[in-house]
Structures are given as C-alpha cells and as structure tokens.
Amino acid sequence: TSRVVGSVDFVRPKLSTDLSSEDEAALLTTITGVRCSMPYTIKCPPSAFQNPEYASVRIEQVANDVFTQCEEKLSNFNPDSEVNVVNRMGVDDVHTMSDAL
C-alpha cells in the first residue's frame, strides 16, 4: 500500500503570458472534490469542449469515470479490485489482465 502526501498541483501552466492570474482564473472551469480520500482540483478551459456550456458537467463525468476505473482495477482497499484478485492468485492460476493493467 502506498500513500500520497502533498499536492500534485506544483506547476501551474499559464493560458497566456498576457493574462493576470485573476483573468486567467475567470477563463478556466474549475472542479473540486474528494474521491478515494484524495482532494482534487481540475482546471480546464471550456473552449476545449464541443459545447463549452456543459464543460463542468463533462469534466465531472470524465473524472468520475477515471476514479471509478482506478477503484475497480487498482485499489488496494477494494477486495474485488483486479490488483487484489491477482495478488490472491495461486501460482498455477491464470488471469487475463485488463487493458488498464
């Protein structure tokens, strides 16, 4: 089991060198939450989506899909995750790995 401590938001890329931090923040859709006991912040320009009005909804959908897949495949805390299934296997047991692994 591993533990992540700290933040992963060390580098803050800029949309433009001509914008102030406040102006740039106004141009980004920001989603925050907690999943898998980890707080997260996702920042994305709405222009990256075909329908910018629904950018926050789509960002949340993608984030939830990623977290769900991580919990199903990689979580040491989920006894039914693929990692735990593989870890419980005997020497002669066969398992076809998912694409995620």
Side-chain angles (χ1 to χ4, degrees):
T1 306
S2 64
R3 180 190 299 180
V4 176
V5 179
S7 174
V8 293
D9 197 13
F10 296 118
V11 178
R12 291 176 168 72
K14 305 260 318 151
L15 290 173
S16 170
T17 56
D18 299 332
L19 295 175
S20 70
S21 295
E22 294 81 22
D23 292 337
E24 187 173 271
L27 294 175
L28 294 173
T29 297
T30 302
I31 303 295
T32 60
V34 176
R35 185 83 185 260
C36 303
S37 299
M38 273 305 278
Y40 65 88
T41 301
I42 301 171
K43 300 175 186 177
C44 188
S47 60
F49 297 89
Q50 290 177 347
N51 191 344
E53 295 174 15
Y54 297 103
S56 62
V57 171
R58 186 65 184 128
I59 293 167
E60 286 186 32
Q61 287 173 340
V62 170
N64 282 329
D65 289 348
V66 169
F67 282 122
T68 297
Q69 187 172 25
C70 288
E71 290 171 343
E72 289 174 355
K73 305 291 183 190
L74 305 172
S75 175
N76 290 324
F77 303 104
N78 174 1
D80 299 321
S81 74
E82 188 171 5
V83 163
N84 282 329
V85 168
V86 170
N87 286 339
R88 287 192 304 269
M89 289 174 58
V91 173
D92 295 325
D93 292 341
V94 177
H95 175 76
T96 302
M97 297 290 208
S98 68
D99 289 340
L101 293 182

XYZ file of all heavy atoms in Angstrom:
773
model
N 0.847 -1.180 0.000
C 0.000 0.000 0.000
C 0.885 1.234 0.000
O 1.852 1.311 0.729
C -0.905 0.004 1.242
O -1.613 -1.214 1.291
C -1.860 1.169 1.192
N 0.549 2.176 -0.823
C 1.311 3.409 -0.868
C 0.434 4.564 -0.411
O -0.785 4.496 -0.442
C 1.841 3.675 -2.272
O 0.752 3.865 -3.157
N 1.074 5.623 -0.001
C 0.351 6.799 0.447
C 0.908 8.009 -0.299
O 2.114 8.184 -0.400
C 0.524 7.005 1.941
C -0.227 8.247 2.429
C 0.114 8.625 3.829
N -0.238 7.553 4.744
C -0.035 7.629 6.031
N 0.532 8.681 6.557
N -0.356 6.636 6.816
N 0.017 8.808 -0.834
C 0.423 10.040 -1.494
C 0.196 11.170 -0.502
O -0.891 11.321 0.038
C -0.394 10.288 -2.774
C -0.019 11.610 -3.393
C -0.194 9.155 -3.751
N 1.230 11.931 -0.258
C 1.132 13.057 0.661
C 1.527 14.308 -0.093
O 2.528 14.323 -0.792
C 2.056 12.861 1.885
C 1.952 14.050 2.819
C 1.704 11.574 2.606
N 0.756 15.335 0.041
C 1.109 16.594 -0.609
C 0.172 16.885 -1.756
O -0.891 16.307 -1.892
N 0.589 17.779 -2.592
C -0.225 18.249 -3.698
C 0.420 17.859 -5.014
O 1.633 17.746 -5.119
C -0.356 19.773 -3.614
O -1.020 20.249 -4.761
N -0.404 17.673 -6.015
C 0.120 17.398 -7.346
C 0.004 18.632 -8.235
O 0.238 18.569 -9.414
C -0.605 16.207 -8.015
C -0.294 14.931 -7.277
C -2.094 16.447 -8.089
N -0.366 19.753 -7.643
C -0.560 20.991 -8.392
C 0.680 21.882 -8.269
O 0.586 23.051 -7.940
C -1.809 21.703 -7.881
C -2.304 22.768 -8.856
O -1.857 22.800 -10.002
O -3.139 23.576 -8.423
N 1.871 21.309 -8.501
C 3.101 22.061 -8.310
C 3.363 23.034 -9.445
O 3.879 24.114 -9.242
C 4.290 21.109 -8.175
C 4.205 20.239 -6.957
C 4.136 18.866 -7.075
C 4.168 20.788 -5.691
C 4.045 18.060 -5.963
C 4.077 19.991 -4.570
C 4.018 18.622 -4.708
N 3.024 22.672 -10.661
C 3.265 23.526 -11.814
C 1.925 24.068 -12.283
O 1.006 23.315 -12.550
C 3.941 22.734 -12.956
C 4.132 23.619 -14.163
C 5.266 22.159 -12.489
N 1.853 25.351 -12.377
C 0.618 25.973 -12.817
C 0.843 26.555 -14.217
O 1.352 27.653 -14.353
C 0.193 27.055 -11.839
C -0.254 26.484 -10.518
C -0.583 27.591 -9.526
N -1.256 27.139 -8.351
C -0.710 26.432 -7.373
N 0.525 26.042 -7.457
N -1.404 26.084 -6.319
N 0.464 25.797 -15.240
C 0.667 26.320 -16.593
C -0.205 27.541 -16.835
O -1.288 27.677 -16.266
C 0.252 25.164 -17.493
C -0.496 24.231 -16.638
C -0.127 24.484 -15.223
N 0.281 28.426 -17.669
C -0.443 29.658 -17.978
C -1.119 29.519 -19.327
O -0.561 28.948 -20.254
C 0.518 30.847 -18.019
C 1.349 31.045 -16.772
C 0.911 32.079 -15.803
C 0.445 33.377 -16.309
N -0.528 34.002 -15.429
N -2.326 30.050 -19.425
C -3.008 30.083 -20.707
C -2.330 31.074 -21.636
O -2.210 30.859 -22.829
C -4.475 30.488 -20.531
C -5.386 29.483 -19.848
C -6.757 30.098 -19.602
C -5.510 28.235 -20.690
N -1.894 32.179 -21.058
C -1.260 33.235 -21.844
C -0.370 34.054 -20.929
O -0.716 34.317 -19.782
C -2.326 34.133 -22.472
O -1.731 35.273 -23.041
N 0.749 34.493 -21.443
C 1.640 35.340 -20.646
C 1.074 36.744 -20.494
O 1.538 37.506 -19.654
C 3.035 35.409 -21.291
O 2.898 35.863 -22.640
C 3.711 34.056 -21.264
N 0.063 37.071 -21.290
C -0.535 38.409 -21.241
C -1.637 38.545 -20.194
O -2.107 39.647 -19.941
C -1.120 38.777 -22.613
C -0.073 38.798 -23.708
O 1.104 39.066 -23.394
O -0.424 38.523 -24.863
N -2.039 37.443 -19.576
C -3.153 37.478 -18.635
C -2.668 37.495 -17.196
O -1.700 36.820 -16.848
C -4.049 36.251 -18.824
C -4.791 36.125 -20.147
C -5.521 34.789 -20.201
C -5.773 37.260 -20.329
N -3.387 38.229 -16.360
C -3.113 38.172 -14.927
C -3.700 36.865 -14.382
O -4.508 36.206 -15.034
C -3.760 39.362 -14.212
O -5.174 39.207 -14.207
N -3.322 36.499 -13.182
C -3.847 35.273 -12.572
C -5.360 35.332 -12.418
O -6.051 34.335 -12.613
C -3.204 35.051 -11.201
O -1.839 34.809 -11.355
N -5.883 36.495 -12.074
C -7.330 36.645 -11.904
C -8.055 36.493 -13.238
O -9.106 35.848 -13.322
C -7.676 38.004 -11.278
C -7.196 38.180 -9.860
C -5.714 38.582 -9.785
O -5.168 39.119 -10.766
O -5.100 38.318 -8.748
N -7.510 37.108 -14.295
C -8.130 36.988 -15.611
C -8.093 35.554 -16.100
O -9.049 35.053 -16.673
C -7.431 37.898 -16.633
C -7.659 39.378 -16.361
O -8.660 39.711 -15.689
O -6.838 40.189 -16.823
N -6.965 34.897 -15.858
C -6.829 33.513 -16.283
C -7.818 32.619 -15.528
O -8.447 31.750 -16.119
C -5.407 33.030 -16.062
C -5.150 31.658 -16.624
C -3.703 31.266 -16.551
O -2.961 31.569 -17.493
O -3.343 30.643 -15.536
N -7.960 32.817 -14.227
C -8.885 32.013 -13.425
C -10.315 32.157 -13.933
O -11.085 31.198 -13.912
C -8.789 32.413 -11.957
N -10.654 33.349 -14.413
C -12.000 33.580 -14.925
C -12.248 32.809 -16.225
O -13.394 32.523 -16.567
C -12.222 35.067 -15.152
N -11.190 32.440 -16.934
C -11.328 31.723 -18.197
C -11.337 30.201 -18.031
O -11.584 29.479 -18.986
C -10.184 32.101 -19.143
C -10.158 33.546 -19.622
C -8.918 33.806 -20.452
C -11.413 33.874 -20.417
N -11.063 29.720 -16.828
C -10.987 28.290 -16.589
C -12.225 27.780 -15.864
O -12.744 28.438 -14.963
C -9.758 27.951 -15.742
C -8.408 28.197 -16.391
C -7.296 27.990 -15.370
C -8.212 27.296 -17.588
N -12.677 26.615 -16.253
C -13.701 25.914 -15.490
C -12.960 25.095 -14.443
O -12.046 24.348 -14.769
C -14.522 24.988 -16.402
O -15.199 25.783 -17.368
C -15.525 24.182 -15.605
N -13.321 25.273 -13.181
C -12.632 24.598 -12.087
C -13.605 23.691 -11.352
O -14.684 24.115 -10.957
C -12.026 25.619 -11.110
O -11.130 26.465 -11.844
C -11.272 24.937 -9.988
N -13.192 22.447 -11.195
C -13.973 21.446 -10.477
C -13.129 20.973 -9.302
O -11.952 20.658 -9.471
C -14.296 20.238 -11.387
C -15.035 20.672 -12.652
C -15.060 19.167 -10.639
C -16.392 21.259 -12.398
N -13.717 20.922 -8.118
C -13.001 20.401 -6.952
C -13.854 19.327 -6.298
O -15.072 19.298 -6.443
C -12.697 21.506 -5.920
O -13.937 22.073 -5.486
C -11.817 22.592 -6.496
N -13.205 18.442 -5.597
C -13.927 17.400 -4.892
C -12.969 16.512 -4.130
O -11.773 16.794 -4.049
N -13.507 15.448 -3.576
C -12.706 14.448 -2.864
C -13.180 13.089 -3.358
O -14.369 12.808 -3.392
C -12.895 14.543 -1.338
C -12.136 13.434 -0.630
C -12.470 15.910 -0.824
N -12.229 12.267 -3.741
C -12.547 10.905 -4.178
C -11.381 10.017 -3.788
O -10.236 10.435 -3.864
C -12.785 10.891 -5.685
C -13.245 9.589 -6.270
C -14.770 9.389 -6.142
N -15.140 8.071 -6.607
C -15.641 7.797 -7.795
N -15.869 8.767 -8.647
N -15.933 6.565 -8.124
N -11.647 8.831 -3.380
C -10.601 7.904 -2.911
C -9.811 8.550 -1.773
O -8.596 8.382 -1.674
C -9.670 7.508 -4.044
S -10.454 6.770 -5.469
N -10.480 9.327 -0.959
C -9.872 10.045 0.166
C -8.839 11.069 -0.264
O -8.007 11.483 0.539
C -9.236 9.059 1.164
O -10.219 8.202 1.672
N -8.844 11.470 -1.533
C -7.893 12.458 -2.050
C -8.637 13.675 -2.562
O -9.521 13.541 -3.413
C -7.098 11.888 -3.229
C -5.851 11.126 -2.895
S -4.688 12.015 -1.892
C -3.860 12.995 -3.082
N -8.302 14.844 -2.051
C -8.889 16.046 -2.641
C -8.296 16.277 -4.030
O -7.134 15.972 -4.273
C -8.485 17.156 -1.673
C -7.329 16.616 -0.916
C -7.415 15.130 -0.948
N -9.106 16.781 -4.933
C -8.609 17.072 -6.273
C -9.167 18.402 -6.777
O -10.216 18.854 -6.341
C -8.944 15.949 -7.258
C -10.426 15.760 -7.501
C -11.085 16.482 -8.498
C -11.167 14.858 -6.755
C -12.429 16.314 -8.725
C -12.516 14.678 -6.979
C -13.146 15.410 -7.973
O -14.482 15.247 -8.197
N -8.433 19.009 -7.685
C -8.852 20.209 -8.390
C -8.528 19.986 -9.859
O -7.403 19.639 -10.198
C -8.114 21.459 -7.892
O -8.377 21.625 -6.496
C -8.547 22.705 -8.639
N -9.516 20.167 -10.709
C -9.326 20.046 -12.152
C -9.657 21.395 -12.766
O -10.730 21.938 -12.534
C -10.227 18.953 -12.741
C -9.935 17.608 -12.091
C -10.064 18.886 -14.259
C -10.916 16.514 -12.447
N -8.704 21.915 -13.541
C -8.895 23.202 -14.210
C -8.784 22.979 -15.712
O -7.835 22.349 -16.171
C -7.830 24.200 -13.766
C -7.845 24.473 -12.285
C -6.691 25.361 -11.888
C -6.626 25.524 -10.386
N -5.472 26.310 -9.975
N -9.754 23.488 -16.438
C -9.761 23.265 -17.874
C -10.449 24.437 -18.574
O -11.463 24.932 -18.085
C -10.502 21.966 -18.161
S -10.394 21.438 -19.863
N -9.910 24.864 -19.714
C -10.613 25.912 -20.462
C -11.863 25.325 -21.112
O -11.800 24.263 -21.733
C -9.592 26.354 -21.516
C -8.648 25.218 -21.653
C -8.641 24.500 -20.332
N -13.004 25.975 -20.964
C -14.238 25.463 -21.565
C -14.132 25.328 -23.079
O -14.818 24.511 -23.679
C -15.300 26.494 -21.184
C -14.714 27.315 -20.112
C -13.232 27.185 -20.196
N -13.257 26.085 -23.690
C -13.106 26.028 -25.148
C -12.578 24.676 -25.619
O -12.624 24.373 -26.810
C -12.179 27.149 -25.623
O -10.902 27.012 -25.018
N -12.092 23.845 -24.709
C -11.596 22.514 -25.062
C -12.743 21.549 -25.368
O -12.497 20.436 -25.814
C -10.735 21.958 -23.932
N -13.967 21.964 -25.154
C -15.125 21.099 -25.327
C -15.977 21.582 -26.485
O -16.036 22.781 -26.763
C -15.961 21.074 -24.041
C -15.203 20.498 -22.889
C -14.422 21.311 -22.085
C -15.243 19.145 -22.626
C -13.694 20.782 -21.034
C -14.525 18.609 -21.579
C -13.748 19.429 -20.787
N -16.662 20.638 -27.140
C -17.533 20.999 -28.252
C -18.659 21.913 -27.795
O -19.080 22.791 -28.525
C -18.121 19.746 -28.896
C -17.105 18.931 -29.652
C -17.719 17.659 -30.226
O -18.826 17.257 -29.879
N -16.976 17.018 -31.115
N -19.147 21.686 -26.590
C -20.215 22.507 -26.041
C -19.718 23.112 -24.728
O -19.911 22.525 -23.661
C -21.471 21.670 -25.823
C -22.680 22.524 -25.503
O -22.547 23.691 -25.165
N -23.848 21.927 -25.607
N -19.074 24.282 -24.781
C -18.465 24.880 -23.583
C -19.436 25.103 -22.427
O -19.024 25.130 -21.277
C -17.906 26.206 -24.091
C -17.727 26.021 -25.560
C -18.822 25.084 -25.981
N -20.735 25.234 -22.720
C -21.710 25.455 -21.654
C -21.782 24.269 -20.693
O -22.139 24.422 -19.533
C -23.098 25.711 -22.248
C -23.183 26.990 -23.055
C -24.530 27.128 -23.744
O -25.476 26.397 -23.380
O -24.628 27.961 -24.642
N -21.446 23.087 -21.188
C -21.525 21.885 -20.369
C -20.151 21.368 -19.972
O -20.007 20.206 -19.611
C -22.314 20.799 -21.100
C -23.748 21.212 -21.353
C -24.170 21.629 -22.609
C -24.673 21.210 -20.314
C -25.479 22.030 -22.828
C -25.980 21.605 -20.524
C -26.387 22.014 -21.782
O -27.669 22.411 -21.991
N -19.142 22.231 -20.018
C -17.771 21.817 -19.701
C -17.669 21.231 -18.300
O -17.067 20.176 -18.106
C -16.806 22.985 -19.861
N -18.259 21.884 -17.310
C -18.132 21.388 -15.932
C -18.797 20.021 -15.768
O -18.278 19.151 -15.075
C -18.692 22.391 -14.927
O -20.069 22.596 -15.150
N -19.928 19.809 -16.435
C -20.615 18.517 -16.365
C -19.736 17.441 -16.994
O -19.567 16.352 -16.425
C -21.983 18.583 -17.082
C -22.607 17.202 -17.203
C -22.913 19.540 -16.362
N -19.151 17.740 -18.146
C -18.313 16.752 -18.834
C -17.033 16.473 -18.050
O -16.598 15.320 -17.965
C -17.971 17.252 -20.248
C -17.236 16.243 -21.056
C -18.096 15.006 -21.349
N -17.290 14.028 -22.064
C -17.162 12.761 -21.702
N -17.829 12.295 -20.674
N -16.406 11.951 -22.381
N -16.435 17.497 -17.462
C -15.228 17.300 -16.649
C -15.545 16.371 -15.481
O -14.780 15.456 -15.181
C -14.666 18.648 -16.151
C -14.134 19.464 -17.320
C -13.569 18.434 -15.115
C -13.840 20.916 -16.976
N -16.661 16.595 -14.822
C -17.048 15.739 -13.703
C -17.300 14.303 -14.160
O -16.919 13.350 -13.472
C -18.282 16.296 -13.000
C -17.968 17.522 -12.161
C -19.159 17.998 -11.356
O -19.985 17.152 -10.948
O -19.250 19.205 -11.130
N -17.910 14.127 -15.338
C -18.151 12.779 -15.862
C -16.827 12.050 -16.109
O -16.674 10.890 -15.728
C -18.938 12.838 -17.168
C -20.380 13.208 -17.008
C -21.067 13.423 -18.359
O -20.420 13.661 -19.379
N -22.390 13.353 -18.357
N -15.893 12.733 -16.751
C -14.605 12.117 -17.055
C -13.858 11.791 -15.762
O -13.312 10.693 -15.605
C -13.757 13.026 -17.973
C -12.329 12.509 -18.087
C -14.404 13.138 -19.346
N -13.840 12.726 -14.817
C -13.155 12.492 -13.541
C -13.777 11.304 -12.810
O -13.059 10.439 -12.296
C -13.205 13.746 -12.672
N -15.100 11.239 -12.772
C -15.763 10.112 -12.106
C -15.453 8.787 -12.790
O -15.233 7.773 -12.125
C -17.279 10.340 -12.035
C -17.656 11.299 -10.944
O -16.992 11.375 -9.912
N -18.723 12.045 -11.153
N -15.406 8.792 -14.119
C -15.060 7.568 -14.848
C -13.639 7.115 -14.524
O -13.387 5.928 -14.321
C -15.200 7.779 -16.357
C -16.656 7.903 -16.804
O -17.561 7.610 -16.001
O -16.868 8.304 -17.975
N -12.709 8.050 -14.459
C -11.314 7.714 -14.151
C -11.205 7.180 -12.724
O -10.566 6.150 -12.482
C -10.388 8.935 -14.358
C -9.003 8.681 -13.787
C -10.308 9.289 -15.835
N -11.818 7.864 -11.773
C -11.769 7.401 -10.384
C -12.424 6.028 -10.235
O -11.912 5.163 -9.521
C -12.437 8.401 -9.445
C -11.595 9.597 -9.135
C -12.048 10.868 -9.419
C -10.344 9.459 -8.552
C -11.275 11.982 -9.134
C -9.561 10.560 -8.264
C -10.031 11.827 -8.548
N -13.540 5.811 -10.896
C -14.225 4.524 -10.819
C -13.344 3.418 -11.368
O -13.221 2.343 -10.760
C -15.567 4.579 -11.572
O -16.402 5.547 -10.924
C -16.260 3.223 -11.580
N -12.705 3.666 -12.505
C -11.829 2.653 -13.078
C -10.640 2.372 -12.147
O -10.250 1.213 -11.967
C -11.329 3.080 -14.454
C -10.567 1.977 -15.152
C -10.223 2.303 -16.581
O -10.129 3.448 -16.972
N -10.008 1.273 -17.375
N -10.079 3.408 -11.560
C -8.973 3.211 -10.609
C -9.415 2.374 -9.418
O -8.696 1.472 -8.978
C -8.425 4.549 -10.125
S -7.483 5.425 -11.371
N -10.602 2.658 -8.885
C -11.101 1.895 -7.750
C -11.376 0.441 -8.129
O -11.116 -0.472 -7.348
C -12.372 2.540 -7.193
C -12.102 3.858 -6.497
C -13.372 4.612 -6.132
O -14.452 4.293 -6.686
O -13.281 5.524 -5.318
N -11.892 0.207 -9.342
C -12.209 -1.151 -9.780
C -10.959 -1.958 -10.112
O -10.940 -3.176 -9.931
C -13.113 -1.110 -11.006
C -14.515 -0.649 -10.721
C -15.350 -0.483 -11.984
O -14.805 -0.634 -13.108
O -16.541 -0.183 -11.853
N -9.936 -1.299 -10.629
C -8.766 -2.023 -11.121
C -7.566 -1.961 -10.181
O -6.820 -2.927 -10.068
C -8.321 -1.466 -12.485
C -9.390 -1.445 -13.534
C -9.760 -2.831 -13.972
C -10.794 -2.767 -15.080
N -11.359 -4.043 -15.389
N -7.338 -0.827 -9.545
C -6.062 -0.590 -8.872
C -6.128 -0.439 -7.362
O -5.086 -0.383 -6.714
C -5.413 0.671 -9.461
C -5.220 0.675 -10.975
C -4.747 2.037 -11.443
C -4.248 -0.409 -11.391
N -7.304 -0.353 -6.789
C -7.414 -0.048 -5.366
C -7.007 -1.219 -4.480
O -7.519 -2.332 -4.616
C -8.846 0.354 -5.023
O -8.977 0.543 -3.623
N -6.104 -0.952 -3.560
C -5.750 -1.950 -2.549
C -6.837 -2.053 -1.478
O -6.842 -2.992 -0.689
C -4.419 -1.596 -1.887
C -3.263 -1.782 -2.830
O -3.246 -2.690 -3.636
N -2.280 -0.905 -2.739
N -7.730 -1.094 -1.414
C -8.777 -1.061 -0.398
C -10.052 -1.757 -0.857
O -10.930 -2.010 -0.054
C -9.075 0.380 0.001
C -7.855 1.100 0.504
C -7.195 2.018 -0.293
C -7.342 0.822 1.766
C -6.049 2.655 0.172
C -6.208 1.459 2.228
C -5.557 2.378 1.424
N -10.165 -2.036 -2.146
C -11.319 -2.742 -2.694
C -10.924 -4.208 -2.858
O -10.109 -4.548 -3.709
C -11.696 -2.137 -4.050
C -12.795 -2.905 -4.748
O -13.322 -3.884 -4.240
N -13.134 -2.460 -5.954
N -11.494 -5.110 -2.045
C -11.083 -6.518 -2.107
C -11.367 -7.159 -3.465
O -10.763 -8.165 -3.809
C -11.880 -7.187 -0.990
C -12.966 -6.246 -0.641
C -12.534 -4.872 -1.045
N -12.275 -6.570 -4.250
C -12.619 -7.127 -5.553
C -11.884 -6.456 -6.713
O -12.154 -6.767 -7.876
C -14.131 -7.020 -5.785
C -14.916 -7.807 -4.746
O -14.453 -8.911 -4.384
O -15.965 -7.315 -4.306
N -10.970 -5.526 -6.414
C -10.236 -4.867 -7.497
C -9.346 -5.882 -8.201
O -8.956 -6.904 -7.638
C -9.392 -3.709 -6.961
O -8.259 -4.195 -6.263
N -9.035 -5.580 -9.433
C -8.233 -6.519 -10.212
C -6.864 -6.749 -9.589
O -6.353 -7.871 -9.587
C -8.089 -6.029 -11.652
C -7.445 -7.054 -12.552
C -7.478 -6.681 -14.019
O -7.917 -5.571 -14.368
O -7.055 -7.531 -14.820
N -6.279 -5.719 -9.021
C -4.977 -5.871 -8.362
C -5.076 -6.876 -7.221
O -4.216 -7.752 -7.067
C -4.466 -4.501 -7.850
C -3.370 -4.659 -6.831
C -3.981 -3.655 -9.010
N -6.112 -6.780 -6.418
C -6.260 -7.713 -5.299
C -6.596 -9.121 -5.770
O -6.160 -10.097 -5.156
C -7.296 -7.202 -4.304
C -6.718 -6.112 -3.430
O -5.532 -6.116 -3.137
N -7.548 -5.173 -3.020
N -7.359 -9.231 -6.843
C -7.641 -10.563 -7.403
C -6.336 -11.219 -7.838
O -6.068 -12.379 -7.530
C -8.626 -10.455 -8.589
C -8.709 -11.763 -9.358
C -10.006 -10.030 -8.097
N -5.483 -10.474 -8.528
C -4.189 -11.002 -8.978
C -3.314 -11.342 -7.780
O -2.650 -12.392 -7.754
C -3.491 -9.994 -9.927
C -2.057 -10.414 -10.208
C -4.274 -9.849 -11.218
N -3.305 -10.492 -6.769
C -2.478 -10.741 -5.588
C -2.897 -12.006 -4.829
O -2.068 -12.634 -4.175
C -2.511 -9.541 -4.644
C -1.689 -8.389 -5.164
O -0.799 -8.564 -5.984
N -2.005 -7.183 -4.695
N -4.182 -12.369 -4.908
C -4.675 -13.569 -4.210
C -4.494 -14.845 -5.032
O -4.722 -15.944 -4.528
C -6.152 -13.407 -3.876
C -6.445 -12.446 -2.760
C -7.892 -12.567 -2.296
N -8.856 -12.376 -3.364
C -9.396 -11.200 -3.710
N -9.049 -10.106 -3.053
N -10.273 -11.120 -4.679
N -4.090 -14.711 -6.272
C -3.995 -15.879 -7.154
C -2.895 -16.831 -6.709
O -1.877 -16.420 -6.153
C -3.709 -15.436 -8.593
C -4.880 -14.750 -9.251
S -4.487 -14.079 -10.874
C -3.938 -15.523 -11.729
N -3.141 -18.104 -6.974
C -2.126 -19.115 -6.724
C -1.126 -19.152 -7.876
O -1.325 -18.529 -8.922
N -0.077 -19.915 -7.685
C 0.996 -19.998 -8.673
C 0.485 -20.496 -10.019
O 0.889 -20.000 -11.065
C 2.130 -20.909 -8.158
C 3.175 -21.151 -9.228
C 2.755 -20.325 -6.911
N -0.416 -21.447 -10.024
C -0.899 -22.034 -11.279
C -2.175 -21.388 -11.807
O -2.688 -21.804 -12.845
C -1.129 -23.535 -11.090
C 0.163 -24.284 -10.816
O 1.196 -23.881 -11.384
O 0.138 -25.250 -10.029
N -2.698 -20.381 -11.118
C -3.912 -19.706 -11.574
C -3.591 -18.840 -12.794
O -2.490 -18.312 -12.931
C -4.493 -18.818 -10.467
C -5.035 -19.622 -9.306
O -5.293 -20.823 -9.500
O -5.182 -19.042 -8.220
N -4.584 -18.696 -13.660
C -4.429 -17.898 -14.889
C -5.413 -16.741 -14.829
O -6.571 -16.914 -14.437
C -4.699 -18.764 -16.136
C -4.620 -17.929 -17.397
C -3.715 -19.926 -16.200
N -4.942 -15.588 -15.219
C -5.795 -14.401 -15.255
C -5.425 -13.572 -16.473
O -4.248 -13.308 -16.715
C -5.585 -13.565 -13.979
C -6.342 -12.262 -13.991
N -7.686 -12.197 -13.764
C -5.929 -11.002 -14.191
C -8.081 -10.945 -13.825
N -7.030 -10.185 -14.083
N -6.402 -13.193 -17.250
C -6.173 -12.304 -18.392
C -6.281 -10.870 -17.884
O -7.339 -10.458 -17.407
C -7.193 -12.548 -19.507
O -7.099 -13.924 -19.894
C -6.913 -11.650 -20.699
N -5.184 -10.141 -17.980
C -5.150 -8.764 -17.482
C -6.035 -7.844 -18.329
O -6.128 -8.011 -19.539
C -3.734 -8.209 -17.517
C -2.776 -8.931 -16.630
S -3.146 -8.613 -14.923
C -1.560 -8.806 -14.214
N -6.638 -6.897 -17.676
C -7.419 -5.895 -18.388
C -6.465 -4.928 -19.090
O -5.262 -4.881 -18.780
C -8.300 -5.126 -17.407
O -7.499 -4.329 -16.563
N -6.983 -4.138 -19.993
C -6.162 -3.131 -20.670
C -5.604 -2.122 -19.667
O -4.510 -1.600 -19.866
C -6.977 -2.401 -21.737
C -7.283 -3.280 -22.947
O -6.569 -4.292 -23.135
O -8.238 -2.965 -23.677
N -6.360 -1.842 -18.610
C -5.897 -0.870 -17.610
C -4.635 -1.326 -16.918
O -3.796 -0.522 -16.543
C -6.993 -0.621 -16.580
N -4.471 -2.636 -16.716
C -3.276 -3.148 -16.079
C -2.228 -3.485 -17.108
O -1.083 -3.587 -16.874
C -3.581 -4.367 -15.208
C -4.434 -4.088 -13.989
C -4.621 -5.363 -13.181
C -3.821 -3.041 -13.105
